[in-house]
Amino acid sequence: MTTLLHRLFLYTCMLSAPLSMAAPDYQPRPYVQFEHAEWSKHASIYQINTRQFTPEGSLRAAEQQLPRLKELGVGILWLMPIHPIGQVRRKGTLGSPYAVRDFMAVNPELGTLADLKHFVERAHALGLHVILDWVGNHTAWDNVLRSSHPEWYAHDAQGRPHPTPWYDWDDIIDLDYSQPELRRYMTEAMKFWVREAGIDGYRADAAGLVPQDFWDNASRELRQIKPVFMLAEWESRDMHALAFDASYAWTWWDSLRNIVEGKADATALYSYYAWNEKFYPQQAYRMLYSTNHDKNAWEGSEYEIFGAAVDAVTAFSFVSEGIPMIYNGQEAGNRKRLAFFERDPIVWQDAPQGALLKKLLALKTRNSALWNGAWGARMQQVRNQAPKQVFSFVRENPRDKVFAVFNLSASPVVARFDAGPQLGSYRDFASGEAVTINPASELTLPAWGYRILLKEQP
């Protein structure tokens, strides 16, 4: 009886609303409501800590490194905050660049507005794009807005401005985004740097601490000027609907750290990738990295954190779904923590890591299966017989294919695979030799070893 009633109900629905005339409410809608800039489709990000990037610590000195970065193969240059730094309650000698004193000026320690414009012009001439770090949640205690617009700041029960609650950010104070005129000011300030300096977007610091509707509108207004790239320092699907091209993949990094420290095995990544495929839209770029300025300064170099697994984690960030990010100095094999509140220039040298990164960047650029978001191909799980050690997958589109196998353990392993999409003829990424994968194939991997097998059209 239940089955009969169910069929009658479905039949009634079909009669009342034929599929071709279904109400708009029942039609699927794209989650992402804007178009990515085409130049971002296979770009990787390079973070520049300008204070430490060169012995001079200036924009003019950094500009001299642009041809090297072009040759390395990066596409988007992320400049950490370029604004003057607060003096009041400053940490260390030079203070944090995230304690901004004036959103409309350039920190004289780095150079001038003309220097910034020249940096951007030179980058554009090389086919590179430049984004600025934008600190929207808070300002320095002595920001110029304190005297002109004290009402734009959040206040405690005693009417005093205050740092972001619960953190130890005592060198800054929070802004109050319930103030419409603050929203207007911050939006216009962001537009100023796009128009005046020619920058190509922003990395939004602590993006989730600022109301989402602010970012939605600000990004819309910025894209009315030109195509921009927006990166949120946050991990949230909501960021991607209207505002941000990319967001942080904190849980990916955390899972890999737990695996390397022996607190988890390779299956710890399953939740991340299940959510990545089912919860996030494919158009979302999730930023993957082995280190950045926060990790380096407060937790140690990537070598201190990942040890012998560094190369595997780096390679993984390039062949997984996501947009990879390099922190300045990785290509020089930097093994020290860079001071955050003082001058501590990177020691530049030739290192094997530079050759690996250059090769990975070239692979990311040419192999369309590895491109960002919906430009690239989804990961297809390849089940293997050692799932707690081996993480394996295929990314494939009509043009290119990648079969990636990572031993995420401190012990060697022989990887054997179940039936899946991995069968075929490939070229080995590392050696260039021909490799055929059939149902009986085995891959022997050392501790933290990996194989990247490629099938590419010319």
Side-chain angles (χ1 to χ4, degrees), residues 81 97-100 103 133-139 175 186 203 205:
Y98 293 90
V100 174
F103 290 106
D133 215 324
W134 189 258
V135 187
N137 174 64
H138 51 260
T139 76
L175 291 165
M186 294 297 276
R203 178 264 188 186
D205 181 66

Side-chain angles (χ1 to χ4, degrees), residues 216-450:
D216 292 345
N217 180 71
S219 296
R220 179 184 60 82
E221 293 197 26
L222 290 169
R223 290 189 174 101
Q224 289 174 347
I225 301 172
K226 73 178 198 177
V228 293
F229 180 84
M230 299 292 288
L231 165 63
E233 190 206 11
W234 209 254
E235 189 167 21
S236 169
R237 180 181 66 177
D238 294 349
M239 297 284 178
H240 294 279
L242 295 168
F244 290 99
D245 300 85
S247 60
Y248 275 52
W250 284 327
T251 47
W252 182 87
W253 191 93
D254 291 339
S255 295
L256 281 166
R257 182 175 189 173
N258 286 336
I259 291 168
V260 170
E261 292 181 348
K263 299 175 182 176
D265 59 49
T267 63
L269 285 164
Y270 288 0
S271 292
Y272 174 85
Y273 283 104
W275 282 57
N276 183 67
E277 183 165 342
K278 297 291 289 183
F279 183 66
Y280 280 77
Q282 188 179 0
Q283 295 95 327
Y285 301 178
R286 304 187 71 186
M287 191 176 77
L288 309 178
Y289 52 88
S290 57
T291 187
N292 59 27
H293 70 280
D294 283 321
K295 301 301 184 187
N296 178 276
W298 314 124
E299 301 187 58
S301 74
E302 59 179 335
Y303 293 91
E304 293 177 80
I305 296 169
F306 291 114
V310 164
D311 286 352
V313 173
T314 300
F316 200 177
S317 73
F318 277 84
V319 297
S320 171
E321 286 185 49
I323 183 168
M325 191 277 285
I326 300 168
Y327 183 51
N328 55 194
Q330 280 187 253
E331 69 270 42
N334 178 55
R335 292 175 179 264
K336 71 171 183 175
R337 303 185 189 195
L338 298 175
F340 199 73
F341 306 115
E342 313 292 341
R343 288 275 292 118
D344 188 14
I346 297 166
V347 177
W348 291 102
Q349 59 187 356
D350 290 331
Q353 291 74 25
L356 174 61
L357 285 168
K358 186 174 182 179
K359 194 170 183 179
L360 287 167
L361 284 159
L363 173 63
K364 172 78 176 182
T365 300
R366 75 170 183 269
N367 191 299
S368 60
L370 301 181
W371 289 357
N372 299 321
W375 302 103
R378 278 289 193 197
M379 292 167 61
Q380 303 175 60
Q381 182 181 13
V382 173
R383 296 189 181 277
N384 63 73
Q385 297 173 28
K388 291 188 176 182
Q389 290 178 271
V390 177
F391 193 93
S392 49
F393 59 91
V394 161
R395 296 183 70 185
E396 179 180 17
N397 62 22
R399 174 180 161 185
D400 298 314
K401 183 176 182 179
V402 176
F403 176 33
V405 185
F406 288 84
N407 177 12
L408 300 180
S409 78
S411 300
V413 64
V414 177
R416 302 177 179 89
F417 308 96
D418 298 343
Q422 74 275 14
L423 304 182
S425 298
Y426 300 90
R427 177 178 56 84
D428 185 89
F429 168 70
S431 67
E433 66 180 301
V435 179
T436 298
I437 300 296
N438 58 49
S441 293
E442 300 177 347
L443 296 178
T444 301
L445 300 170
W448 310 114
Y450 61 92

Side-chain angles (χ1 to χ4, degrees), residues 157-215:
Q158 287 72 44
R160 299 170 301 193
H162 60 79
T164 302
W166 302 98
Y167 289 121
D168 62 349
W169 301 350
D170 52 3
D171 57 338
I172 58 90
I173 47 177
D174 276 6
L175 291 165
D176 178 7
Y177 276 82
S178 70
Q179 303 292 324
E181 289 307 310
L182 168 65
R183 291 178 174 232
R184 183 191 302 274
Y185 172 87
M186 294 297 276
T187 303
E188 291 300 323
M190 294 174 75
K191 289 160 65 176
F192 169 83
W193 296 103
V194 173
R195 286 182 172 135
E196 185 66 23
I199 65 138
D200 303 294
Y202 290 96
R203 178 264 188 186
D205 181 66
L209 302 184
V210 173
Q212 183 62 46
D213 61 344
F214 167 79
W215 295 122

